[in-house]
């Protein structure tokens, strides 16, 4: 079966060691994690892991259920591209001279919806948020200008479902069933 | 409120005491109803062992000869008694020596709480003496693990450990406690864990799949049941029997399901899998409705998953949602406890019988008897065969003993030819296939079920992996009976070499010690038999006395286990010879 890119979103208790417990589930099946982000949520003590992986529809269902089994994982969900709002952020570093001597650079940055994040000493850092494709297009466009360094963050994503994290956690606390948290949203 | 009631209230609240972490560990175990611990001391767990010295009246500690022995004994104990097995080990090598047993318990769903000592918290991560990251190492093979670095964390961690180990689909839990946390004091009070908000071990049964399953079952012409260890773990043997008898459906067992249902029942049609019976394997691919109960479609059961029961509507009763649709696509998933699910489903199904269909299984039995069983249990050659020993042992003990096996040919012979007629009478290393499991697990089983006759059946290879645990039989006078089936080969590997590797017997021949002298050095009565005519008397002098006994039987060197589904093949293409 063909692989697709999925966003996996995991709600967990904020406890040490969980990152490892989650990533070994991918490692066991020799699945490469394309990106990973851990953040707080609007609920105190609850963290959100956002991963991007390429998997078959079969694989992603199994993986998500195995993640849900980890004690301290509150919920585990997977989404296709059109089911989430998502962004990545990329930073691009140049020498100040390069930036000053090439007027078209400023135009290019504006055209790509990027902005100058910092000018400090002899360095300029450009910031761009968008999809991986968008940040990569800017990367390609900036390559001829002697790009010094480039970095891209992991994806962060919110699902388009109407679920609220707080309501989900409350339901989890009062329900006896785990069916709720493995349900595909 | 008058002053006297106020005092009583205060006393209730202040029902705490200041004790060291090490003693708190033991108090927690006593609170959880633990009376037996298997373990091995060492530097980082010495404070706990020191406290244990004054708890000898409450906690019976069994000192193994290797940590692997301790954990397999704890597994045998847990599976025989239905209680949580408890195991102590020190940091570093002590902890890493537990890993095989923890992994075995994980894959075979055995409830264990392992407590390991750890170097002092200020030394963590510094490659200190006997330091190892046991939390990291055990992460993929535990149901849950946790490192305690403060004495005050101990009661809650242990309470949660027991709750997680024994609830839902059971499994092993490891609690790693730094030496300073054992030494520092805490204000002790204990409350058992009743809930973890992220962990919901018992899914609520839903009506819809139950009704869908009942409809399929009621309309089925050739339904077939395959049950596994889930039945034993949920204590559903009565419910399984009612369900089978009401529906009249032929039922087969997985390896770990053996003894959940009497082999003598007219609707029991055998055991399934790679070396299972002919009927259930072949009929898997002929039935119209396949009802899987508390089992997980291991590859040794399914062979080729693409052809496995592909023609049938599959109903899967399973507690662990991650097992549903993992290996075999199912039509109806009943996510819930086997006991509850069978109770509910039995209400919804019609009283029925499938005599012609059951007769098809019996026809298969006749074929298997003719082509495979007869020559195994009644061999023409002078040498005793493993199949023959197990068959005769089964008759001798009337199928009533608790059988613990190791891994390999003898294990398959035991599962094929021991006719279990007593509930919960089979303990083996199924999922992991751990050689060396039998001897310590049989010792643990006897300690966990002292009223049962416990027989450990083991090959000469597996026996030598953990034979140091004979010391436990001697020191604690454990009345376990050990049967070594000695063919001087690693028999199962040799069989595969014969069948699939052109008889190139690469490193499977063994030169063995004198097992009788070995047993004698541990003061264990022992007897060797190589002559068929002496078998029955041998059984008698081995099994009749109280106390331990070892029987070594010299068996045919190149006996094969048949029938056999070659690895990854279609189950209906099972080879009879």
């Amino acid at each position: 079966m063909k692989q697709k890119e999925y966003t996996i979103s995991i709600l967990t208790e904020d406890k040490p060691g969980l990152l490892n417990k989650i990533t070994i589930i991918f490692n066991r099946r020799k699945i490469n994690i394309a990106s990973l982000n851990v953040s707080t949520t609007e609920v105190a003590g609850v963290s959100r892991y956002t991963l991007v992986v390429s998997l078959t529809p079969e694989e992603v269902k199994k993986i998500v259920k195995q993640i849900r089994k980890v004690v301290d994982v509150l919920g585990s969900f997977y989404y296709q591209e059109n089911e989430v709002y998502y962004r990545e952020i990329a930073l691009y570093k140049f020498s100040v001279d390069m930036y000053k001597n090439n007027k078209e650079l400023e135009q290019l940055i504006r055209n790509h919806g990027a902005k100058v994040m910092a000018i400090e000493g002899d360095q300029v850092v450009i910031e761009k948020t968008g999809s991986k494709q968008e940040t990569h297009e800017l990367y390609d466009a900036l390559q001829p200008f002697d790009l010094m360094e480039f970095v891209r963050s992991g994806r962060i994503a919110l699902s388009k479902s109407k679920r609220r994290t707080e309501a989900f956690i409350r339901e989890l606390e009062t329900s006896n069933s785990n069916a709720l948290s493995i349900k595909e949203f | 409120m008058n002053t006297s009631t106020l005092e009583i209230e205060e006393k209730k609240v202040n029902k705490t005491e200041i004790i060291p972490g090490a003693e708190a560990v033991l108090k927690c175990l006593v609170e959880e109803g633990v009376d037996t611990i298997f373990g091995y001391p060492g530097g980082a767990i010495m404070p706990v062992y020191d406290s244990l010295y004054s708890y000898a009246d409450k906690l019976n500690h069994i000192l193994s000869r290797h940590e692997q022995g301790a954990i397999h004994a704890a597994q045998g104990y847990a599976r025989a008694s239905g209680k949580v097995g408890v195991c102590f080990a020190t940091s570093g090598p002590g902890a890493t020596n537990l890993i095989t047993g923890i992994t075995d318990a994980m894959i075979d769903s055995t409830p264990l709480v392992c407590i390991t000592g750890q170097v002092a918290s200020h030394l963590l991560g510094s490659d200190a003496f006997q330091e190892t990251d046991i939390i990291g190492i055990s992460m993929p093979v535990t149901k849950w693990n946790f490192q305690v670095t403060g004495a005050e964390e101990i009661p809650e961690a242990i309470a949660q450990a027991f709750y997680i180990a024994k609830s839902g689909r059971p499994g092993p839990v490891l609690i790693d406690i730094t030496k300073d946390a054992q030494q520092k004091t805490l204000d002790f009070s204990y409350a058992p864990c009743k809930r973890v908000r992220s962990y919901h071990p018992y899914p609520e049964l839903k009506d819809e799949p139950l009704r869908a399953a009942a409809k399929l079952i009621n309309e089925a012409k050739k339904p077939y049941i395959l049950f596994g260890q889930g039945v034993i773990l949920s204590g559903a043997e009565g419910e399984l029997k009612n369900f089978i008898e009401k529906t009249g459906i032929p039922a087969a067992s997985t390896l770990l399901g053996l003894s959940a249902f009497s082999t003598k029942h007219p609707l029991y049609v055998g055991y399934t899998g790679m070396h299972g019976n002919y009927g259930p394997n072949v009929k898997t691919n002929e039935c119209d409705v396949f009802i899987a109960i508390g089992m997980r479609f291991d590859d040794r059961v399914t062979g080729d998953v693409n052809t496995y029961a592909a023609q049938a509507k599959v109903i899967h009763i399973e507690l662990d949602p991650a097992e549903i649709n993992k290996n075999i696509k199912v039509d109806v998933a009943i996510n819930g406890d086997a006991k509850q699910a069978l109770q509910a489903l039995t209400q919804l199904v019609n009283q029925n019988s499938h005599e012609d269909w059951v007769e098809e299984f019996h026809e298969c039995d006749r074929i298997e008897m003719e082509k495979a069983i007869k020559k195994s249990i009644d061999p023409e050659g002078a040498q005793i065969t493993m199949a023959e020993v197990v068959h005769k042992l089964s008759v001798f003990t009337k199928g009533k003993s608790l059988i613990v096996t190791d891994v390999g040919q003898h294990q398959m012979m035991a599962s094929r030819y021991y006719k279990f007629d007593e509930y919960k009478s089979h303990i083996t290393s199924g999922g992991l296939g751990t050689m060396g499991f039998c001897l310590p697990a049989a010792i643990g089983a006897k300690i966990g079920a002292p009223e049962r006759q416990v027989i450990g059946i083991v090959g000469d290879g597996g026996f030598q992996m953990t034979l140091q645990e004979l010391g436990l039989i001697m020191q604690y006078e454990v009345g376990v009976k050990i049967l070594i089936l000695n063919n001087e080969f690693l028999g199962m590997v040799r069989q595969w070499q014969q069948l699939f590797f052109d008889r190139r017997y690469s490193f499977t021949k063994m030169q063995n010690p004198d097992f009788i002298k070995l047993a004698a050095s541990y003061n264990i009565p022992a007897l060797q038999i190589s002559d068929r005519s002496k078998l029955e008397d041998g059984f008698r002098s081995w099994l009749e006395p109280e106390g331990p006994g070892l029987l070594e039987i010299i068996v045919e060197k190149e006996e094969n286990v048949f029938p056999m589904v070659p690895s990854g093949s279609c189950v209906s293409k099972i080879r009879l010879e």
Side-chain angles (χ1 to χ4, degrees):
Chain A
M1 222 180 300
K2 247 188 94 181
Q3 289 195 335
K4 276 187 196 161
E5 191 180 81
Y6 289 98
T7 302
I8 295 180
S9 184
I10 305 161
L11 294 170
T12 75
E13 304 286 4
D14 181 15
K15 288 193 179 162
L18 262 177
L19 174 64
N20 211 354
K21 288 183 182 177
I22 290 167
T23 54
I24 51 179
I25 292 172
F26 293 88
N27 212 11
R28 262 184 93 175
R29 291 175 181 257
K30 217 175 173 189
I31 293 164
N32 194 24
I33 297 170
S35 100
L36 186 152
N37 178 275
V38 187
S39 92
T40 53
T41 63
E42 70 275 23
V43 182
V46 175
S47 302
R48 183 193 297 282
Y49 289 63
T50 307
L51 293 89
V52 179
V53 281
S54 287
L55 295 169
T56 67
E58 286 290 302
E59 282 172 331
V60 74
K61 282 182 203 164
K62 291 177 192 176
I63 287 270
V64 160
K65 284 202 277 186
Q66 287 182 328
I67 293 168
R68 180 60 192 90
K69 260 171 79 168
V70 175
V71 175
D72 293 330
V73 166
L74 297 158
S76 174
F77 318 97
Y78 67 94
Y79 306 99
Q80 297 191 51
E81 193 176 349
N82 62 354
E83 295 170 315
V84 280
Y85 306 109
Y86 68 95
R87 278 289 178 270
E88 284 160 16
I89 181 164
L91 302 178
Y92 313 75
K93 191 161 83 183
F94 298 94
S95 74
V96 158
D97 292 346
M98 182 63 72
Y99 186 68
K100 283 185 179 152
N101 299 338
N102 292 281
K103 288 294 159 211
E104 66 268 40
L105 245 181
E106 205 181 324
Q107 188 60 38
L108 187 79
I109 288 162
R110 204 173 304 128
N111 289 349
H112 278 264
K115 63 177 185 185
V116 175
M117 189 195 100
I119 303 180
E120 227 175 273
D122 56 356
Q123 297 180 342
V124 179
V125 177
I126 311 296
E127 163 195 338
K128 154 98 188 131
T129 59
S131 67
K132 187 175 177 180
Q133 195 192 339
E134 287 164 340
T135 54
H136 203 83
E137 277 167 10
L138 180 57
Y139 172 83
D140 285 342
L142 293 174
Q143 271 287 34
F145 301 96
D146 193 26
L147 188 60
M148 287 166 70
E149 272 191 309
F150 166 74
V151 66
R152 180 164 45 223
S153 73
R155 173 180 294 185
I156 54 168
L158 291 174
S159 89
K160 293 181 181 176
S161 83
K162 291 193 170 65
R163 166 169 54 83
R164 282 166 176 268
T165 307
E166 202 190 344
F168 173 79
I169 303 289
R170 211 178 314 123
E171 237 179 303
L172 207 59
E173 281 170 352
T174 51
S175 157
N176 281 319
S177 174
N178 64 353
L180 169 78
S181 40
I182 61 157
K183 197 162 66 189
E184 297 158 24
F185 278 85
Chain B
M1 194 183 282
N2 65 38
T3 47
S4 64
T5 56
L6 195 70
E7 271 170 24
I8 292 166
E9 287 293 310
E10 267 183 5
K11 267 186 194 153
K12 256 190 204 164
V13 177
N14 294 337
K15 228 187 87 188
T16 59
E17 48 187 322
I18 308 287
I19 54 169
E23 191 185 348
V25 171
L26 304 180
K27 274 192 175 295
C28 295
L29 297 183
V30 172
E31 290 276 353
E32 285 292 339
V34 173
D35 53 24
T36 305
I37 299 161
F38 300 88
Y40 205 102
I45 199 168
M46 279 187 69
V48 169
Y49 271 85
D50 184 61
S51 293
L52 195 55
Y53 197 63
S54 7
Y55 271 71
D57 56 329
K58 295 190 186 79
L59 294 165
N60 178 27
H61 179 274
I62 309 287
L63 173 68
S64 67
R65 298 301 186 261
H66 186 289
E67 289 86 353
Q68 189 186 353
I71 191 151
H72 289 329
Q75 289 178 272
Y77 175 88
R79 283 166 75 171
S81 70
K83 295 197 264 184
V84 176
V86 178
C87 198
F88 283 175
T90 194
S91 64
T96 56
N97 280 343
L98 296 179
I99 291 296
T100 303
I102 293 176
T103 314
D104 194 289
M106 183 71 174
I107 200 161
D108 281 353
S109 310
T110 307
L112 295 183
V113 169
C114 304
I115 293 174
T116 51
Q118 180 58 280
V119 299
S121 54
H122 73 276
L123 292 172
L124 285 171
S126 70
D127 302 320
F129 177 66
Q130 291 194 331
E131 188 211 352
T132 188
D133 174 17
I134 197 62
I135 292 295
I137 291 173
S138 65
M139 223 169 242
V141 294
T142 46
K143 189 173 170 189
W144 183 63
N145 66 12
F146 187 74
Q147 186 173 62
V148 171
T149 50
E152 68 291 346
E153 300 166 37
I154 288 171
E156 198 188 335
I158 293 182
Q160 194 167 331
F162 273 87
Y163 173 64
I164 292 172
K166 68 188 173 192
S167 60
R169 181 178 177 182
V173 167
L174 183 139
I175 302 290
D176 192 35
I177 309 177
T178 57
K179 197 168 182 179
D180 51 327
Q182 298 169 43
Q183 286 162 328
K184 281 185 188 145
T185 57
L186 72 153
D187 201 354
F188 182 83
S189 68
Y190 194 77
C193 176
K194 295 207 172 73
R195 198 179 168 91
V196 174
R197 76 172 178 181
S198 64
Y199 169 73
H200 292 181
Y202 299 105
E204 256 164 49
L205 275 181
K206 294 212 181 74
D207 284 341
E208 190 196 325
L210 282 167
R211 267 196 286 272
K215 185 166 185 291
L216 283 176
I217 291 166
N218 288 337
E219 289 168 2
K221 296 281 175 278
K222 294 181 167 190
Y224 164 68
I225 292 169
L226 180 56
F227 62 85
Q229 195 192 200
V231 172
I232 294 173
L233 292 172
S234 77
E237 80 278 18
E239 286 75 9
L240 177 69
K241 186 163 178 275
N242 291 344
F243 177 69
I244 292 170
E245 287 178 348
K246 185 171 184 190
T247 55
I249 300 175
S253 178
T254 66
L255 177 64
L256 291 191
L258 284 172
S259 78
F261 185 59
S262 173
T263 57
K264 298 189 174 144
H265 194 282
L267 287 170
Y268 179 74
V269 292
Y271 132 80
T272 191
M274 184 174 266
H275 292 291
N277 292 110
Y278 183 60
N281 273 313
V282 169
K283 296 298 170 191
T284 293
N285 288 358
E286 291 176 21
C287 64
D288 59 357
V289 174
F290 184 111
I291 307 142
I293 306 169
M295 55 81 70
R296 59 182 181 83
F297 294 106
D298 180 85
D299 61 281
R300 287 298 196 259
V301 166
T302 63
D304 174 20
V305 287
N306 296 316
T307 54
Y308 188 82
Q311 80 295 338
K313 294 279 185 201
V314 178
I315 299 165
H316 193 186
I317 299 175
E318 170 59 46
L319 187 61
D320 180 354
E323 292 296 350
I324 295 171
N325 286 322
K326 187 181 84 176
N327 297 337
I328 296 289
K329 274 277 193 192
V330 304
D331 298 279
V332 179
I334 300 174
N335 182 207
D337 180 65
K339 191 181 180 89
Q340 280 182 8
L342 285 172
Q343 270 168 2
L345 192 56
T346 306
Q347 301 278 315
L348 299 173
V349 291
N350 300 335
Q351 186 89 34
N352 208 341
S353 73
H354 298 276
E355 281 168 26
D356 293 347
W357 168 235
V358 174
E359 184 48 34
E360 288 185 37
F361 284 85
H362 295 323
E363 182 53 35
C364 288
D365 291 345
R366 285 188 282 275
I367 295 168
E368 184 177 348
M369 175 57 84
E370 205 52 49
K371 294 205 160 168
I373 298 175
K374 218 182 247 174
K375 53 187 154 193
S376 293
I377 63 173
D378 190 13
E380 287 171 359
Q383 282 285 349
I384 305 175
T385 65
M386 287 180 274
E388 175 186 12
V389 175
V390 175
H391 169 69
K392 288 180 174 163
L393 179 68
S394 179
V395 173
F396 188 85
T397 57
K398 301 183 177 69
K400 301 283 187 193
S401 301
L402 198 171
I403 302 295
V404 183
T405 62
D406 210 73
V407 174
Q409 286 185 314
H410 74 276
Q411 175 194 33
M412 293 295 104
M413 292 304 191
S415 49
R416 286 182 54 78
Y417 296 111
Y418 197 84
K419 298 297 164 201
F420 295 95
D421 192 29
E422 186 89 23
Y423 177 58
K424 232 174 146 173
S425 291
H426 181 239
I427 296 173
T428 194
S429 168
L432 197 65
T434 307
M435 283 178 70
F437 174 83
C438 173
L439 180 63
I443 292 167
K446 181 65 185 175
I447 293 168
E451 72 290 356
R452 299 289 309 272
Q453 178 172 69
V454 177
I455 301 178
I457 306 180
V458 62
D460 47 310
F463 179 72
Q464 291 180 77
M465 280 202 175
T466 48
L467 65 78
Q468 75 282 354
E469 304 306 334
L470 288 174
L472 265 68
I473 298 179
M474 177 175 66
Q475 185 168 353
Y476 300 100
E477 296 172 359
V478 185
V480 65
K481 307 291 185 180
I482 303 299
L483 173 62
I484 302 177
L485 297 175
N486 184 357
N487 57 8
E488 295 184 330
F489 265 115
L490 298 173
M492 188 58 92
V493 179
R494 188 212 54 75
Q495 175 171 344
W496 285 46
Q497 288 171 336
Q498 179 188 337
L499 298 176
F500 311 117
F501 292 89
D502 208 16
R503 279 185 189 266
R504 289 157 56 85
Y505 292 167
S506 181
F507 303 101
T508 42
K509 179 119 186 67
M510 284 199 136
Q511 186 180 349
N512 290 325
D514 183 331
F515 293 125
I516 305 305
K517 277 191 194 155
L518 185 72
S521 75
Y522 285 96
N523 280 334
I524 299 168
L527 177 70
Q528 188 197 62
I529 293 176
S530 52
D531 182 350
R532 179 168 290 130
S533 65
K534 303 218 167 92
L535 262 181
E536 179 122 356
D537 280 346
F539 285 157
R540 198 164 292 119
S541 55
W542 167 53
L543 291 178
E544 277 180 0
E546 289 281 307
L550 185 145
L551 177 64
E552 179 196 7
I553 302 183
I554 308 299
V555 294
E556 165 68 43
K557 287 198 192 318
E558 298 191 29
E559 179 183 359
N560 287 334
V561 192
F562 278 112
M564 178 176 192
V565 180
S567 182
S569 291
C570 170
V571 288
S572 49
K573 295 203 174 119
I574 184 168
R575 284 174 62 172
L576 278 161
E577 50 195 340

